[in-house]
Amino acid sequence: MSGQKAVTPSADGIAEAVRASKSRGLPPVHLWTPPFCGDLDMRIARDGTWYYQGSPITRPQLVRLFSSILKLEDDKYVLVTPVEKVGITVDDAPFVATDVEVTGAGQDQVLEFTTHVDDTAIAGPEHSIRVVRDPETEEPAPYVMIRAGLEALIDRKTFYRLVDLGEDHDGWFGIWSSGTFFRIIPSEALDGL
């Protein structure tokens, strides 16, 4: 080794590093390229609950802190600080969209999503909405892009609100936001529902 001390990743160490480097807004994780230090026993469940060593993280401010340094690299989720990078497990999407604010109507409609960690994103060309249907159950799983490849699973109540706003366009049932039409399901498939 070149005189560098080996780093053993821990949730406390990562939180402290982020606090020390944090300024206003989200940290510039896209600029940080530290060495990979291994995987951390941290997991984000499908419902947005964060776990560390099998126990839920119950402090919302700590979850928000960790979420601010989350990054997607080579199809792997990592927490990154200026000095270390650790892999974590994400069951589905790292965020859950728990609300949507709707302004306007039709093609002029704007949908602003809020996540369980207080991130916001206005659906449009840079923050797309996509719906994946389970091939066996036909159950829809809707997502909205929050930032830098990180999506939020849209929770059921919010998705139902979106469906109420939906309309037919070019053979698809979907929703408008920021001048972009997001497809939910082919219009002809609605006849069977």
Side-chain angles (χ1 to χ4, degrees):
M1 289 247 246
S2 59
Q4 290 185 342
K5 192 168 100 176
V7 177
T8 302
S10 72
D12 291 336
I14 291 170
E16 189 55 41
V18 174
R19 286 186 192 104
S21 67
K22 190 139 174 146
S23 59
R24 300 191 86 142
L26 290 171
V29 295
H30 62 287
L31 301 176
W32 297 342
T33 57
F36 184 74
C37 300
D39 290 326
L40 191 63
D41 184 7
M42 188 174 284
R43 177 177 73 90
I44 305 172
R46 190 171 198 268
D47 68 358
T49 302
W50 286 60
Y51 291 86
Y52 180 59
Q53 296 182 339
S55 297
I57 301 173
T58 57
R59 293 178 41 211
Q61 63 273 29
L62 191 56
V63 170
R64 280 193 292 277
L65 178 72
F66 286 135
S67 74
S68 73
I69 59 166
L70 185 62
K71 187 176 178 182
L72 184 62
E73 274 187 1
D74 302 321
D75 295 324
K76 182 164 178 56
Y77 292 98
V78 295
L79 298 179
V80 63
T81 73
V83 296
E84 65 185 323
K85 177 185 346 180
V86 295
I88 68 167
T89 301
V90 177
D91 290 353
D92 189 354
F95 304 121
V96 176
T98 57
D99 199 9
V100 64
E101 183 177 322
V102 182
T103 55
Q107 292 185 22
D108 297 325
Q109 180 171 268
V110 175
L111 305 172
E112 183 175 9
F113 290 89
T114 301
T115 71
H116 72 296
V117 292
D118 297 329
D119 282 329
T120 60
I122 295 175
E126 292 181 22
H127 299 277
S128 61
I129 297 170
R130 70 183 180 98
V131 178
V132 177
R133 297 186 76 76
D134 183 291
E136 293 177 20
T137 66
E138 291 293 313
E139 183 78 21
Y143 301 88
V144 60
M145 184 62 66
I146 300 299
R147 64 171 187 266
L150 302 175
E151 289 184 311
L153 175 66
I154 300 170
D155 73 3
R156 188 175 302 267
K157 70 175 176 8
T158 303
F159 184 57
Y160 287 157
R161 288 181 59 206
L162 296 178
V163 169
D164 284 344
L165 298 169
E167 59 184 67
D168 289 304
H169 178 72
D170 289 338
W172 283 84
F173 178 80
I175 50 174
W176 289 95
S177 184
S178 304
T180 303
F181 185 76
F182 297 102
R183 298 172 172 183
I184 295 176
I185 189 171
S187 298
E188 62 188 28
L190 288 175
D191 296 336
L193 297 178

